[in-house]
Amino acid sequence: SAKELGRNQVRLFTETLSDTRPRRLQREHEIQDAIDQDQFLLLMQPQISIHEESLFRVEALIRWQHPQEGMLSPLEFIPIAEDCGLIIPLGRWVLRYACTVGLQLLEQGIPLFMAVNVSTKQLNSPDFLEDVRSALEKTGYPATNLELEITESSFLEDMDGAIAKLQTLRNMGISISLDDFGTGFSSLHYLRKLPIDYLKIDRSFISTLDEDRESKAITASVIKLAHTLNIKVIAEGVEQASQLALLTQWNCDLAQGFYFHRPLSVQAIEELYYTKYRAN
Ligand code: C2E
Ligand code: MG
Ligand code: MG
Ligand code: MG
């Protein structure tokens, strides 16, 4: 009957709620504890210079070594941390840890240049500039070896405020890259106004280069356009030699992806540098 159906619907509804809300709340508590208990770590994925040998570049990518569930991907906790505000202390931890590890590698003679992801909430937080300054000062990692990766959504709320912040960071010697380019609003008008050094073409374009004419056309013209604006281009998610061949032909500056290396532990990064890069 309709009454029964109605009751069932209510039951279903409450079951869904009781299934997801406490779980999410539990995650939030867990993230807080995990920061205190050092359960997070950073892996580093190299970025390869296509046309010239230069610095040893890496992107820092967070992982959560969860005591019961094992290694968790950032996609499973970064969005939750953003929603509940824990991205601020977590982002602070990432900056601090990245700079600490970065300095250790520099001190071993590895000419490291490291990119760190910054979420929109984090960049827009009033504490952000101070958090960056403090990470650099307390660790001694040089600002000129740091790059911050931001996304287009960082400009939706307060474009001029975000631009001013990026300008301050650049004046400190930090480089800025625009991550996941092509997935947001990607206005070419804004691209001209943004104080950025690098543009990262999203993996969704690179992974379809071989079969999709539009991905090809977009990637080739974004590289050209970026170069006209004095911005260097990084291709994300390169998995095949055929993709690298096209990117090389189009004069793309840097490439990152499983074709070269997966995200690696700090120790694996050291070994990679000594066995492969320094040898060249
Ligand atoms: P992202 O910044 O766009 O990072 C690139 C993602 O693509 C990484 O996933 C990387 O492992 C993956 N990737 C790289 N090359 C390939 C490839 O050839 N094929 C495929 N299939 N994947 C590739 P990951 O590490 O799971 O990170 C996912 C996202 O989580 C990142 O995307 C970034 O938005 C966010 N994230 C990671 N670390 C942090 C962090 O420390 N702070 C913040 N706020 N966000 C982070
Ligand atoms: Mg990134
Ligand atoms: Mg990206
Ligand atoms: Mg991406």
Side-chain angles (χ1 to χ4, degrees), residues 179-180 202 236:
D179 205 351
D180 303 336
D202 191 68
E236 289 195 314

Side-chain angles (χ1 to χ4, degrees), residues 117-137:
N117 289 283
V118 173
S119 85
T120 294
K121 260 235 180 109
Q122 202 186 345
L123 181 74
N124 289 339
S125 128
D127 296 335
F128 185 64
L129 287 177
E130 197 38 51
D131 287 348
V132 175
R133 274 197 202 99
S134 139
L136 293 170
E137 267 164 30

